[in-house]
Amino acid sequence: MAHSDRYAMLLSALPYHGPLFGATQTPLSRFRLNQRLALLAEEELRCLEDARRLLEWAQQPPGRPDAQAVREAQGVIEGMSNGFVRELVTWRLEMRTLVAAMRHRHRGEAAPRERHWGFGRWVGHLMRHWNEPAFGLERAFPWLPEAERHLRTGAAAELERLLLGVVWDRLERLSDGHYLDFEAIVIYVLRWDLIARWTTYDGEHALQRFDALVERVSIPQAGR
């Protein structure tokens, strides 16, 4: 069966997801989704699973040193055969680094001294502009000032909604031009993951989980 035929068959079996914040449940169960994804070639399925594993916080092993986590993520991304997925995962991990930096700074922590604490091209910039509003990145990331406001006021649900919305909108823009290809399937699955996260959202539990995850990022403080 040709790739395009398999993609068309798979996508036709995936129900429309609808808007993120209007959803009360995922458009199909995780079991059914995995059944549909079995139509993918082995290499494609592995690429998708690697991406989801890197992007799912709950699957990150606790106690892993920051340098090791960054190195392993880079290795997985470099091994991905699909450039679209590589760029998308890189963008998400860079966004996660921005949010972690914002959280640490909100807790009064000084700028890190070493680059291994975060992922991607913005790590050095964050270190140099630690004390600036939005790290001086409000033009590149217009959502940062609003995220900082939610963090200051303790509006955990609003912060979660904002961050999920940023990712959802990015996937919406990336979907243009991808209709019956592997990239369209990747976008659908990552949207499914966002819906699953939002429809099972528990504000208090999510904040505790976020605090625990940030605790794992042991930023070396100046003077230590």
Side-chain angles (χ1 to χ4, degrees):
M1 183 183 297
H3 287 313
S4 57
D5 292 337
R6 283 193 293 106
Y7 298 145
M9 181 182 300
L10 199 164
L11 287 164
S12 67
L14 297 174
Y16 179 62
H17 50 68
L20 171 59
F21 298 119
T24 57
Q25 63 182 27
T26 55
L28 74 169
S29 70
R30 186 179 298 273
F31 176 77
R32 293 298 183 191
L33 177 62
N34 290 336
Q35 279 188 322
R36 305 293 191 270
L37 294 178
L39 284 171
L40 291 173
E42 182 178 347
E43 183 178 3
E44 294 169 334
L45 187 57
R46 184 168 57 251
C47 180
L48 177 57
E49 289 175 345
D50 284 344
R52 296 178 80 189
R53 186 174 66 255
L54 286 177
L55 298 179
E56 177 52 62
W57 283 3
Q59 295 185 27
Q60 305 308 309
R64 183 173 53 175
D66 305 324
Q68 179 185 346
V70 171
R71 185 171 59 251
E72 290 180 0
Q74 289 173 336
V76 172
I77 291 172
E78 290 170 3
M80 289 177 173
S81 58
N82 185 281
F84 176 89
V85 179
R86 284 198 305 271
E87 292 180 9
L88 179 54
V89 172
T90 297
W91 176 80
R92 288 282 303 275
L93 293 181
E94 289 178 339
M95 179 179 175
R96 183 176 301 167
T97 294
L98 289 169
V99 175
M102 181 178 63
R103 187 77 176 173
H104 280 291
R105 188 176 68 175
H106 174 71
R107 287 163 46 174
E109 298 178 10
R113 295 182 290 111
E114 300 177 12
R115 296 180 61 90
H116 69 247
W117 65 273
F119 182 92
R121 56 187 160 162
W122 300 105
V123 171
H125 181 99
L126 292 170
M127 294 164 67
R128 294 189 300 271
H129 301 271
W130 190 259
N131 295 316
E132 296 182 25
F135 305 102
L137 288 172
E138 59 274 7
R139 294 184 66 179
F141 302 98
W143 53 269
L144 267 174
E146 184 178 356
E148 288 183 331
R149 288 195 298 272
H150 291 323
L151 194 57
R152 284 195 303 270
T153 60
E158 288 78 2
L159 178 59
E160 178 85 353
R161 184 183 181 100
L162 171 65
L163 298 176
L164 292 180
V166 169
V167 178
W168 184 270
D169 291 345
R170 175 83 169 197
L171 293 173
E172 183 71 28
R173 292 192 297 272
L174 291 175
S175 68
D176 288 343
H178 294 291
Y179 305 106
L180 296 176
D181 54 15
F182 175 62
E183 290 76 10
I185 295 167
V186 171
I187 291 169
Y188 183 96
V189 172
L190 295 185
R191 281 174 164 171
W192 187 98
D193 288 340
L194 293 178
I195 293 173
R197 181 169 168 179
W198 178 249
T199 54
T200 57
Y201 177 76
D202 179 322
E204 183 176 354
H205 178 264
L207 186 58
Q208 292 172 352
R209 179 184 63 180
F210 188 85
D211 283 338
L213 287 163
V214 172
E215 284 290 346
R216 296 177 191 171
V217 185
S218 54
I219 293 181
Q221 300 298 312
R224 287 190 181 178

